[in-house]
Amino acid sequence: MSRTRTAVFAALALVAGVSGPAVAVTPAAEAAISAIPCTVDYKIQNDWGSGFTAAVTVTNNSAAKSSWSVKWSYAGNQQVSSYWNTKITQSGSAVTAGNESYNGTLATGGSVSFGFNGTYSGTNAIPTSFTLDGVTCNVDDGTGSGGGGGGNGGGSGTRVDNPYSGAKVYVNPEWSAKAAAEPGGTRVSNQPTGVWLDRIAAINGTGTSMGLRAHLDAALAQKGSGEEVVQLVIYDLPGRDCAALASNGELGPTEIDKYKTQFIDPIAAILSDSKYASLRIVTTIEIDSLPNLVTNTGSRATATANCNTMLANGNYVKGVGYALAKLGAIPNVYNYLDAGHHGWLGWDDNFAPAAQLFYQAANAEGATVDDVQGFITNTANYSALKENNFTVDDTVNGTSVRQSKWVDWNRYVDELSFAQAFRTELVSVGFNSGIGMLIDTSRNGWGGSARPTGPGAKTSVDTYVDGGRYDRRIHVGNWCNQAGAGLGERPQAGPAAGIDAYVWMKPPGESDGSSSAIPNDEGKGFDQMCDPTYTGNARNGNNMSGALPNAPLSGHWFSAQFQQLMANAYPPLS
């Protein structure tokens, strides 16, 4: 339960005629409240005994501002540790919160919200006095202006079956600006993409980038009177991505408590703000984590020591379960678990065990299957949506397509057939029958001049498959900045049976990893699969990586890739 500053007081010449200690506002003085130049609503949304999350909303009733600064002092030893939608400095007990570059404008009658995490020992008393640009503010008692809310949000508390149905989807203004700045980029810059929360600092915003609250505020502005979906990627597990160095994270294999209290808890606190209860918030939970435990552990040739460590300590399962439980408790949040892709989990040895592992995680750390609204496949990957020129049941001269080098005994040859079949398998192990699937189509179009127009020659099963397949990768295990890839189907709701939406969860133009080692403070290592000269490993059949050259760090803008994606888009761009 949230706590809020409930005493209303005035220390203003306009109301009391004096400055100094605050005095309670009497009924006779309530009519003068509107003359108060500012109001502050300070709520503690979560308190775990040694730390807390607070939300602050400031309403400006004086002249419009192009920048702002809010100050207060603590009576105890509270220390701000991280923040979002603001820039905070602290000296002793005195705290100053200033605007970010994107939220400095504060109109007359307008409000701005920000939040932060803090630590303390002893008591966590709420401040009794605030100023806005040096002028003392009224403290809201919950009945006046300044809202910010603290409950669990969610409006009626009833989720719809498919959050994408009848809704717009949030267009990230930061990605949109980068896309629009590219030659020809305005053709796609209005498409919705996922917002990646891939480290603790991303919650607050890093440098000039927007934090979570800023994105949610922007989504409210885009929403208008209709429904709006916001897509978030929740991605910072301890020991993250144990089989791919390019996307390693900031948390070590044992830092599960830090993941819970410094990553998931602050995200949940923000999403539960009643201010955002009208948004449909779709979360993609921890891409590549659980699938790694299925395919890259034990005595398999593809196993890694890091993945075996994460299997043994259970922190992937614990972390995913905790995220599902915390976020699933918020009525307007829709959790979609990452389910790899057909070229990862489509084999008989992986298909059913993956579904069982997902069920285990969905019942860990207080979560239940009711906290899972669906699954997403092909996140940030390149697997073709639908291969039309061959099926897994075809034979060539008596040899099954499954025996081709490309298919290699997989049961599935594309994402749509895999996602629909995997949904059935998930329901069979205990997930709710109403779950839906998402497919990331941001980079799986495979158009352009290399796109086959029909089946390959039937001289052998390999010429038949290779001559007809849309997916032009060297090997289905190749995943980093793939040469020849194109934009896929545009985001759309309910495109096929069991599919809630095609989405662009990976923003096109953002790199998968650097082509060579680049020092950084983002926890991102160098993975040879991003090096175009790398000759491969067991996970890609010891083939060339197929990666583009001169790529930046994962998540950084890669202009050459974006241009390629537009050139090879399928359906083509007009």
Side-chain angles (χ1 to χ4, degrees):
M1 180 178 294
S2 64
R3 287 189 284 147
T4 184
R5 177 64 185 165
T6 56
V8 180
F9 59 92
L12 306 169
L14 284 169
V15 177
V18 295
S19 60
V23 294
V25 176
T26 65
E30 286 181 352
I33 290 291
S34 62
I36 293 175
C38 49
T39 304
V40 170
D41 178 19
Y42 179 110
K43 283 187 172 67
I44 294 178
Q45 296 186 308
N46 192 15
D47 192 318
W48 52 92
S50 61
F52 64 101
T53 300
V56 181
T57 299
V58 182
T59 301
N60 173 39
N61 295 320
S62 59
K65 300 175 181 293
S66 59
S67 63
W68 50 265
S69 177
V70 178
K71 296 183 178 182
W72 68 90
S73 292
Y74 285 114
N77 60 3
Q78 295 96 326
Q79 290 290 316
V80 174
S81 56
S82 61
Y83 45 85
W84 47 93
N85 234 22
T86 184
K87 294 178 180 177
I88 289 182
T89 58
Q90 183 169 359
S91 177
S93 62
V95 180
T96 300
N99 62 275
E100 286 279 14
S101 58
Y102 52 80
N103 65 353
T105 300
L106 189 53
T108 302
S111 298
V112 65
S113 296
F114 58 89
F116 58 92
N117 290 326
T119 61
Y120 73 96
S121 60
T123 59
N124 187 20
I126 293 173
T128 58
S129 179
F130 299 84
T131 64
L132 173 63
D133 294 339
V135 177
T136 304
C137 297
N138 194 67
V139 176
D140 184 37
D141 66 352
T143 62
S145 59
N152 62 7
S156 66
T158 303
R159 294 185 178 94
V160 297
D161 178 61
N162 179 358
Y164 290 86
S165 180
K168 297 185 295 183
V169 186
Y170 174 58
V171 177
N172 180 345
E174 294 185 306
W175 176 84
S176 182
K178 292 175 183 175
E182 293 281 345
T186 54
R187 293 174 294 174
V188 296
S189 59
N190 65 340
Q191 293 291 347
T193 55
V195 174
W196 285 56
L197 301 176
D198 59 356
R199 50 186 171 138
I200 293 168
I203 301 171
N204 307 335
T206 56
T208 58
S209 67
M210 297 166 64
L212 177 55
R213 278 193 179 271
H215 282 295
L216 296 175
D217 289 341
L220 287 175
Q222 290 182 18
K223 178 179 182 295
S225 59
E227 300 293 341
E228 176 98 345
V229 170
V230 180
Q231 302 175 129
L232 306 177
V233 177
I234 309 300
Y235 185 42
D236 200 25
L237 273 179
R240 190 181 77 189
D241 209 348
C242 55
L245 298 177
S247 44
N248 284 166
E250 63 188 347
L251 301 179
T254 63
E255 293 188 284
I256 186 66
D257 291 338
K258 189 173 182 180
Y259 173 79
K260 292 177 178 180
T261 61
Q262 296 189 31
F263 185 65
I264 295 299
D265 286 354
I267 291 173
I270 295 170
L271 299 187
S272 66
D273 191 332
S274 60
K275 178 181 182 181
Y276 306 120
S278 65
L279 296 171
R280 298 176 181 179
I281 300 171
V282 166
T283 61
T284 294
I285 302 294
E286 294 297 352
I287 63 173
D288 295 348
S289 59
L290 299 178
N292 268 315
L293 298 187
V294 176
T295 62
N296 297 321
T297 55
S299 59
R300 295 185 183 218
T302 56
T304 72
N306 289 339
C307 290
N308 279 328
T309 294
M310 300 317 300
L311 178 65
N313 68 24
N315 283 342
Y316 277 6
V317 169
K318 294 173 186 175
V320 168
Y322 188 83
L324 290 173
K326 290 288 288 190
L327 302 178
I330 306 168
N332 58 314
V333 168
Y334 297 76
N335 289 325
Y336 288 78
L337 262 174
D338 181 76
H341 52 87
H342 89 274
W344 195 344
L345 300 182
W347 281 272
D348 294 342
D349 289 347
N350 302 336
F351 193 77
Q356 293 161 3
L357 179 62
F358 294 151
Y359 183 79
Q360 177 190 349
N363 288 280
E365 299 290 307
T368 73
V369 293
D370 291 335
D371 295 315
V372 180
Q373 281 66 57
F375 290 77
I376 181 170
T377 76
N378 206 44
T379 309
N381 210 266
Y382 299 86
S383 295
L385 179 65
K386 179 64 178 170
E387 292 283 10
N388 294 320
N389 294 328
F390 64 96
T391 75
V392 76
D393 297 319
D394 291 349
T395 60
V396 177
N397 302 324
T399 302
S400 168
V401 157
R402 290 189 71 198
Q403 293 176 255
S404 67
K405 291 180 180 178
W406 174 256
V407 178
D408 192 25
W409 295 103
N410 202 318
R411 286 279 176 197
Y412 304 95
V413 299
D414 54 37
E415 280 308 293
L416 182 57
S417 63
F418 168 73
Q420 290 172 324
F422 198 53
R423 179 186 176 279
T424 300
E425 181 70 16
L426 290 160
V427 171
S428 76
V429 301
F431 284 97
N432 294 332
S433 60
I435 59 171
M437 306 298 286
L438 306 178
I439 301 176
D440 188 346
T441 60
S442 59
R443 304 182 301 178
N444 70 345
W446 296 104
S449 60
R451 184 179 178 87
T453 57
K458 289 194 172 183
T459 53
S460 72
V461 72
D462 287 324
T463 56
Y464 175 68
V465 170
D466 290 341
R469 60 182 168 95
Y470 300 138
D471 188 336
R472 305 312 298 168
R473 286 178 292 175
I474 299 169
H475 188 272
V476 73
N478 288 354
W479 55 266
C480 192
N481 300 323
Q482 290 299 284
L487 299 170
E489 287 284 350
R490 314 307 179 252
Q492 55 186 288
I499 309 299
D500 281 351
Y502 296 151
V503 298
W504 283 8
M505 201 60 71
K506 172 72 172 183
E510 292 189 1
S511 173
D512 295 319
S514 58
S515 300
S516 58
I518 298 175
N520 67 91
D521 61 357
E522 300 176 33
K524 296 170 181 175
F526 167 58
D527 196 299
Q528 287 184 297
M529 288 297 291
C530 301
D531 177 358
T533 68
Y534 182 52
T535 55
N537 55 45
R539 287 185 293 281
N540 82 328
N542 295 300
N543 286 281
M544 298 295 292
S545 69
L548 290 169
N550 304 314
L553 289 172
S554 61
H556 291 225
W557 189 254
F558 190 6
S559 176
Q561 183 194 56
F562 186 73
Q563 289 296 327
Q564 173 193 265
L565 292 172
M566 290 193 295
N568 293 336
Y570 193 89
L573 298 178
S574 57

